[in-house]
Amino acid sequence: MGFENPHITTSELMEKMAASDSPAVVDVRRAPIFADAKVMLPGAVWKDFRQADSWGAKLPRNREVVVYCVHGHEVSQTATLLLRMAGVSARYLEGGIEGFIAAGGAVTELPR
């Protein structure tokens, strides 16, 4: 596995989320952004992107992981790189949660 920063498109992720072997989805938006967030992707868990090498070591190696931030830029790309360096099959969501929502992707409301 190379250390390039691979991405997944919204349509690819929607297709995978509908399958029985859907990837683990991790919300890596910065903590203050997540604290103000109203929605997240279904089944996602929030983790601090700066500690991806630490929590990534606990992820199963037999399941793909998709991380996302707000726009799919440096936050999720950094997390993806750290996860891949730890041996996790990870990709970042191109366009982030904003692109996912704009494409009509389903989200889950966060209890606040």
Side-chain angles (χ1 to χ4, degrees):
M1 172 175 16
F3 293 119
E4 68 279 358
N5 248 348
H7 68 276
I8 185 169
T9 66
T10 293
S11 59
E12 289 173 317
L13 180 57
M14 283 189 222
E15 187 176 309
K16 286 182 170 281
M17 290 173 84
S20 60
D21 62 342
S22 66
V25 180
V26 182
D27 185 323
V28 294
R29 290 177 282 183
R30 295 179 191 273
I33 301 297
F34 182 75
D36 290 338
K38 304 220 183 316
V39 296
M40 69 188 312
L41 269 59
V45 295
W46 181 85
K47 298 286 185 186
D48 186 332
F49 80 98
R50 295 170 297 178
Q51 298 173 354
D53 53 344
S54 176
W55 52 260
K58 299 173 185 134
L59 292 172
R61 296 298 186 261
N62 61 344
R63 188 173 180 200
E64 181 181 25
V65 175
V66 174
V67 298
Y68 69 90
C69 61
V70 176
H71 301 292
H73 297 154
E74 72 272 358
V75 173
S76 58
Q77 291 181 30
T78 297
T80 299
L81 182 59
L82 290 171
L83 290 171
R84 292 179 65 82
M85 288 172 56
V88 177
S89 177
R91 296 196 277 171
Y92 69 91
L93 178 59
E94 182 179 69
I97 191 170
E98 292 295 326
F100 191 82
I101 292 169
V107 291
T108 301
E109 287 193 34
L110 291 168
R112 300 285 186 209

